């Protein structure tokens, strides 16, 4: 008898066209999939994320069996479960006589190291479900003073031919952002994502997850994610028909009680492998070609995927395992408790945090300009901020979460991802949302008891980091504005900002 090899398929590798499966032999090899505590607990993931992945893993295992693979699947409550991926590989090797395993490179250095250092030899193949491999990204990055996404994106447009006319971008421009990012008009609303009913598999998983993880942060109620490829394709169709036409216009808008607006809500499916970048982008391009979607929406959406998503992954693997420990601004304040409860008088923070607890989702601007902006202004330890984002979002894996948080949002990498920190006072949030209207603070107040904390902390941040940022050409204007204010006002603003920071340190309500 020929000795089988094990083929590891992880929870975010639920794709038929996976390099490890391509390298395997269904007549001989055994696919190993396992629900394990090491993965549910290395950070205490939101229960909706765990339920989504377990249900999707169980259905993918059934699908792989249907197409001819032998699959060894361990459920979390199996009494023999060793509760780690290397442990389950070893147990499968004992049971099958396999001497080695193959896999597709995981999306976190932590797990790559655990497999490389594990007791069974594991050969990892590149994860070619992405458009840009590590060597290609490094070749693009090599010798550049700044790794700006826009230049990378243009290469990816040329490489894919998406929205290209010959070697020119469709419509004559690479980027239609000037037409995007409008403030929300009164009454802006959207039906949101396609909601999927539970079936027996999902119901079993929900019961297990409620039993094991029901007491941790995040709500399991109202679970509606798709948990297989058919459902994910239906979600893609729904987005293209319903929301893509407005995606560009209202990409940055925030409206109370409307966490999804016209966003895709596809990252959860794409990052688990249920959808691929090409089919998603081609669907958007086809809708534009058919005249159903304006060019600014289609281009803006495709840029998020072949631009931002690929660029962010390139940064993660290029920067290396110590990336999540970077902290160039020396921020060392503990993450305030209200990030876990939403218990704050700041309406914007309350709205984004409570929606996150409910849905394991917030859109980009809520992540960047509300929760991320506040953490940066308040000098929160970026590693704690990183762990929070990894816990709370259903689409979070370190390869995509950490460059967004450590780099884009917290500037803790010193400018690898962004040329300047994404900070703003309350004005930006007021322009792009309806949050401030129902806030206890007054967004137009720059000082005083009820002044918006974002306003106070904005100047406090710029003042604290003057040496680093005042010569940055994109920030010089802000320092000039600050310097023109009268001394008394500046002293008041700084001392009231310090009062808020002291309240955060004491755990007082803000
Ligand atoms: P849409 O806004 O509709 O965008 C369409 C698609 O573009 C997304 O599905 C996603 O695949 C891709 N995309 C857009 N922006 C980015 C980006 N900056 N990086 C990578 N892909 C992008 N995205 C994650 O997938 N996982 C994360 O853990 C994550 N953490 C983030 C943390 C912070 C602080 C910030 C600022 C952004 C983070 N993002 C993350 C990026 C972005 O917020 C999400 O991809 C997006 O909100 C997902 O929702 P959507 O599918 O509705 O996306
Ligand atoms: C996120 C996650 C969770 C919660 N649980 C599992 C699991 O039980 N089994 C598994 O194979 N994968 C899980 N995952 C996804 C992995 O954490 C993911 O593959 C790595 O973080 C690399 O991206
Ligand atoms: Fe947020 Fe300030 Fe607006 Fe309140 S006033 S919602 S704290 S930006």
């Amino acid at each position: 008898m020929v000795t089988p090899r094990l083929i590891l398929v992880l929870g975010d590798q639920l794709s038929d066209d996976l390099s490890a499966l391509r390298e395997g032999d269904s007549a001989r090899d055994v696919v190993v999939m396992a629900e394990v505590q090491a993965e549910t607990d290395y950070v205490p993931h939101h229960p909706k994320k765990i339920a989504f992945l377990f249900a999707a893993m169980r259905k993918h295992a059934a699908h792989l069996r249907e197409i001819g693979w032998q699959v060894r699947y361990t459920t979390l409550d199996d009494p023999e479960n060793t509760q780690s991926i290397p442990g389950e590989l070893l147990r499968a090797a004992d049971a099958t006589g396999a001497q080695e395993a193959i896999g597709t490179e995981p999306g976190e250095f932590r797990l790559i190291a655990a497999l490389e250092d594990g007791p069974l030899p594991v050969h990892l193949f590149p994860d070619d479900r992405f458009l840009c491999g590590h060597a290609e990204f490094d070749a693009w990055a090599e010798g550049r003073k700044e790794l700006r996404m826009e230049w990378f994106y243009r290469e990816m447009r040329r490489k894919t031919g998406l929205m290209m006319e010959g070697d020119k971008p469709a419509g004559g421009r690479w980027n239609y952002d000037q037409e995007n990012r409008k403030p929300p008009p009164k009454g802006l609303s959207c039906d949101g994502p396609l909601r999927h009913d539970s079936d027996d598999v999902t119901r079993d998983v929900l019961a297990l997850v409620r039993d094991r993880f029901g007491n941790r942060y995040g709500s399991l109620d109202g679970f509606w994610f798709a948990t297989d490829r058919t459902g994910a394709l239906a979600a893609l169709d729904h987005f293209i028909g319903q929301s893509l036409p407005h995606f560009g216009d209202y990409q940055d808008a925030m409206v109370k009680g409307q966490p999804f607006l016209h966003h895709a809500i596809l990252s959860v499916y794409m990052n688990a492998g249920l959808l691929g970048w090409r089919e998603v982008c081609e669907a958007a391009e086809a809708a534009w070609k058919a005249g159903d979607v304006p060019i600014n929406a289609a281009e803006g959406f495709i840029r998020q995927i072949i631009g931002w998503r690929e660029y962010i992954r390139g940064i993660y693997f290029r920067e290396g395992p110590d990336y999540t420990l970077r902290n160039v601004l020396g921020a060392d304040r503990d993450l305030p408790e209200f990030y876990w409860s939403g218990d704050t008088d700041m309406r914007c923070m309350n709205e984004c945090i409570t929606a996150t607890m409910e849905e394991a989702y917030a859109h980009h601007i809520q992540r960047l300009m509300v929760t991320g902006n506040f953490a940066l202004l308040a000098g929160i330890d970026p590693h704690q901020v990183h762990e929070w984002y990894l816990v709370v979002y259903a689409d979070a894996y370190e390869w995509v979460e950490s460059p967004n948080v450590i780099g884009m949002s917290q500037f803790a990498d010193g400018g690898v991802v962004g040329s300047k920190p994404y900070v703003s006072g309350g004005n930006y949030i007021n322009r792009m949302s309806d949050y401030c209207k129902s806030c206890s603070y007054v967004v137009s107040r720059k000082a005083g008891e009820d002044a918006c904390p974002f306003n106070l902390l904005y100047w406090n941040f710029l003042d604290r980091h003057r040496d680093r940022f005042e010569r940055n050409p994109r920030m010089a204007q802000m320092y000039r504005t600050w310097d023109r204010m009268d001394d008394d006002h500046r002293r008041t603003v700084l001392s009231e900002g310090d009062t808020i920071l002291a309240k955060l340190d004491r755990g007082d309500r803000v």
Side-chain angles (χ1 to χ4, degrees):
M1 204 183 96
V2 194
T3 314
R5 283 181 310 178
L6 304 177
I7 306 177
L8 174 65
V9 174
L10 293 164
D12 54 353
Q13 297 181 341
L14 309 181
S15 321
D16 282 356
D17 193 15
L18 190 70
S19 55
L21 290 174
R22 244 183 284 125
E23 296 290 335
D25 174 357
S26 60
R28 177 184 76 166
D29 298 333
V30 178
V31 171
V32 175
M33 297 179 73
E35 301 168 5
V36 292
Q37 266 168 15
E39 296 307 308
T40 58
D41 292 4
Y42 70 92
V43 292
H45 295 289
H46 195 299
K48 276 202 170 108
K49 175 182 187 180
I50 301 176
F52 160 69
L53 272 188
F54 283 8
M57 284 170 69
R58 289 182 187 195
K59 291 181 185 182
H60 190 64
H63 163 72
L64 290 177
R65 285 190 188 110
E66 267 164 35
I67 60 172
W69 290 97
Q70 279 186 74
V71 182
R72 195 185 142 92
Y73 191 97
T74 316
T75 57
L76 191 80
D77 52 3
D78 181 336
E80 307 289 312
N81 190 334
T82 56
Q83 303 296 354
S84 80
I85 297 290
E88 283 311 279
L89 281 177
L90 197 60
R91 210 159 65 82
D94 283 347
T96 59
Q99 306 285 314
E100 57 169 332
I102 60 174
T104 291
E105 182 184 66
E108 299 193 352
F109 287 115
R110 168 192 65 81
L111 196 51
I112 296 175
L115 291 172
E116 285 174 350
D117 301 342
L120 192 75
V122 185
H123 183 84
L124 296 175
F125 292 94
D127 190 346
D128 54 12
R129 296 173 301 164
F130 292 87
L131 167 62
C132 182
H134 303 333
E136 185 182 351
F137 188 84
D138 285 347
W140 172 78
E142 217 42 63
R144 283 175 194 265
K145 246 175 76 194
E146 291 192 322
L147 303 183
R148 292 297 152 249
M149 194 287 297
E150 184 64 27
W151 305 113
F152 170 79
Y153 164 58
R154 293 181 189 184
E155 296 284 312
M156 295 301 111
R157 285 278 292 281
R158 290 192 188 94
K159 180 176 171 184
T160 57
L162 283 164
M163 294 189 75
M164 294 293 290
E165 286 156 2
D167 60 352
K168 300 266 183 321
R173 272 157 55 193
W174 290 103
N175 182 319
Y176 287 83
D177 246 3
Q178 265 173 6
E179 275 109 273
N180 291 343
R181 306 170 186 282
K182 299 185 174 62
K186 203 167 183 310
L188 178 69
S189 77
C190 176
D191 288 343
L194 189 63
R195 288 160 192 270
H196 302 260
D197 292 335
S198 291
D199 55 17
D200 288 347
V201 175
T202 318
R203 273 190 288 275
D204 281 355
V205 164
L206 286 171
L208 172 75
V209 171
R210 196 175 292 286
D211 179 47
R212 297 296 179 94
F213 309 107
N215 289 333
R216 66 169 53 165
Y217 162 91
S219 164
L220 196 54
D221 296 340
F223 181 89
W224 53 260
F225 291 132
T227 48
D228 59 16
R229 180 159 162 77
T230 309
L233 283 170
L236 170 61
D237 262 9
H238 172 86
F239 164 66
I240 300 281
Q242 175 192 274
S243 291
L244 182 60
H246 315 285
F247 173 82
D249 288 354
Y250 301 122
Q251 209 176 325
D252 288 6
M254 299 178 280
V255 176
K256 250 179 71 184
Q258 301 258 344
F260 306 110
L261 286 177
H262 296 97
H263 286 268
I265 334 295
L266 293 177
S267 52
V268 61
Y269 307 131
M270 293 181 73
N271 295 352
L274 296 178
L275 293 175
W277 65 267
R278 184 181 289 283
E279 61 196 341
V280 169
C281 291
E282 284 178 353
E285 184 186 45
W288 164 68
K289 280 189 176 155
D292 299 335
V293 164
I295 195 165
N296 63 308
E299 184 283 316
F301 178 71
I302 287 174
R303 176 162 21 95
Q304 305 308 310
I305 292 173
I306 61 168
W308 278 111
R309 185 169 186 263
E310 295 286 335
Y311 164 86
I312 284 289
R313 178 170 182 269
I315 296 284
Y316 179 72
F317 281 100
R318 182 174 169 78
E319 292 299 312
D322 78 337
Y323 188 73
T324 62
L325 300 172
R326 298 206 193 154
N327 186 1
V328 299
L329 300 182
D332 59 2
R333 185 158 282 109
D334 283 337
L335 187 78
E337 256 322 291
F338 62 70
Y339 272 78
W340 300 109
S341 65
D343 211 358
T344 161
D345 291 333
M346 293 178 282
R347 168 64 65 216
C348 53
M349 292 290 281
N350 165 272
E351 186 73 18
C352 296
I353 292 168
T354 50
T356 296
M357 285 161 66
E358 285 301 312
E359 305 287 0
Y361 178 83
H363 74 62
H364 187 72
I365 289 303
Q366 296 174 314
R367 298 186 204 197
L368 185 64
M369 298 312 291
V370 181
T371 45
N373 186 14
F374 186 83
L376 178 55
L377 293 177
I380 310 297
D381 170 6
H383 194 75
Q384 294 186 36
V385 181
H386 146 70
E387 290 204 331
W388 183 79
Y389 279 93
L390 197 53
V391 166
V392 304
Y393 292 115
D395 59 16
Y397 305 88
E398 207 176 85
W399 68 265
V400 55
E401 172 274 334
S402 69
N404 271 302
V405 174
I406 296 288
M408 189 189 304
S409 166
Q410 300 301 298
F411 204 80
D413 65 2
V416 177
V417 170
S419 56
K420 76 175 199 34
Y422 277 98
V423 282
S424 83
N427 265 347
Y428 174 84
I429 296 175
N430 190 33
R431 187 166 73 250
M432 297 313 296
S433 80
D434 61 357
Y435 297 155
C436 302
K437 291 194 185 86
S438 55
C439 184
S440 320
Y441 295 104
V442 182
V443 70
S444 57
R445 296 285 299 267
K446 310 291 181 218
E449 233 346 48
D450 52 3
C452 165
F454 282 81
N455 292 342
L456 296 168
L457 292 180
Y458 177 75
W459 296 117
N460 201 289
F461 173 89
L462 289 186
D463 188 69
R464 287 201 307 275
H465 297 294
R466 182 161 202 140
D467 286 352
R468 179 176 289 273
F469 293 127
E470 79 173 326
R471 278 176 303 283
N472 181 326
R474 298 185 62 201
M475 299 186 72
Q477 178 57 41
M478 317 203 198
Y479 282 100
R480 281 197 290 275
T481 305
W482 176 233
D483 291 342
R484 276 198 300 269
M485 293 179 198
D486 78 56
D487 284 351
D488 276 354
H489 179 69
R490 286 198 306 177
R491 266 193 297 276
T492 308
V493 167
L494 289 181
S495 115
E496 290 182 0
D498 286 343
T499 303
I500 293 186
L501 295 176
K503 277 180 159 184
L504 293 176
D505 290 339
R506 288 195 302 269
D508 291 354
R509 190 177 173 90
V510 172

